[in-house]
Amino acid sequence: MAYKIFTLSPGSTSTKLAVFEGENRLFKANVQHDLEKLKTFHRVSEQLPYRVETILEELKANNVEIKDMDAFAAYSGGLESTTTGVFPVNDKILEDCSSGRLMEHPAILGAQIIDAFAKQTGKPAFLVNPPDADEFEDISRISGIKGIHRESHIHVLNQKEVAIRAAQQLGKKYEECNFIVCHVGGGLSIAAHKQGKIVDGNDVLNGDGPMAPNRSGYVPLLPVIKMCYSGKYTQAEMMAKVSKTGGLLGLLGTDSVRTIKERIENGEQWADLVYRAFAYNLAKYIGSYSCVLEGKVDAIVMTGGVSNDETFIENVKKYAGWIGPYIILAGDFEMEALANGTIRALNGEEELLEYTGKPIWDGFDFEPEEETK
């Protein structure tokens, strides 16, 4: 049976929508929400009726009826750490998302929006590989500062989808493969996939990993501490350097690859050096994650918008091409991932999981409480 699946992913000022019938995408849109209207809401969850209204208006204009859907699926954050998989939207998911206690970001609206549609139509609603999913091995969580643990914050949804597709290209199951997956978009996540689990990855929210188009990635820590206490910057400004205005944007004033390449073609040496360093940084991390996989790497999978650039890919391969074959799946497949996960669940190919609100990892029970001198 070719199920008809409605998918969505809320962003800061827009909501991505798509409708699939089986593997075929029938409709897609990116609904723009009025910025001034959004500013009138004190909390993100207060946007829910407005977002639902504008989404329904877009669907009506394109002759799409939610009553025709077999199921709904969303990208939705704001949950406690959980395993990967497919989760029916339940009361605990709605409680955690609507409260905003873990995150005040439009991503918390995903579950709430599809729950509204599910209740209106009597059809099921699911979350697929939510961004709070965590499959890290214990050894990967340790950092060199007591009380600071490495956490799983990566592009789980797209990472899993392209890994599954890469395995299919190799004629294998995802659970049989070891991959290093690099999602290179506005943010950048790199992760080690070991026989069906993401056992290690860079924490994109907390400044870990290679530089990204608009995030700093790892930088030497002592100079950053000095900047923090210099009196020149506020806490918000320093956090922005890490999460919003760092990387290519901070170094070159733009995170547009097209613009950067034009500047390189016009002979700008600084733009050329920074863009090559961007690939060099990523290649170093590919090398480190090959160690996580003990050298057993079936493929390096490149995804995200920047992976469309052949020059960038070749620069990465210059340093890390020896580690394994490269599979290029440029762009993002988040809507497809939501639909495919839902279809697997409806077909009984993937077991449905229950979100309980209990973190899958919340520190080590055996970790000493006193700081080691």
Side-chain angles (χ1 to χ4, degrees), residues 18 21 32-33 44 67 111 164 224 247 255 261 271 273 318 360:
E21 188 166 20
Q32 299 297 318
H33 305 294
V44 170
K67 66 178 178 61
I164 291 170
V224 174
D255 57 4
K261 294 195 70 176
L273 177 61
K318 176 182 177 181
I360 195 169

Side-chain angles (χ1 to χ4, degrees), residues 285-302:
Y285 276 85
I286 291 173
S288 70
Y289 283 110
S290 72
C291 295
V292 170
L293 297 174
E294 301 175 33
K296 302 179 181 73
V297 180
D298 288 286
I300 295 96
V301 184
M302 304 294 299

Side-chain angles (χ1 to χ4, degrees), residues 13-34:
T13 60
S14 64
T15 304
K16 293 180 183 178
L17 312 175
V19 175
F20 293 84
E21 188 166 20
E23 296 183 354
N24 299 316
R25 189 179 66 200
L26 305 180
F27 166 80
K28 85 168 188 175
N30 191 20
V31 180
Q32 299 297 318
H33 305 294
D34 184 83

Side-chain angles (χ1 to χ4, degrees), residues 182-213:
C182 306
H183 175 115
V184 192
L188 188 158
S189 66
I190 175 171
H193 295 239
K194 183 179 180 181
Q195 297 179 342
K197 291 187 180 295
I198 299 175
V199 296
D200 200 349
N202 70 310
D203 185 339
V204 300
L205 295 185
N206 288 317
D208 186 27
M211 76 164 77

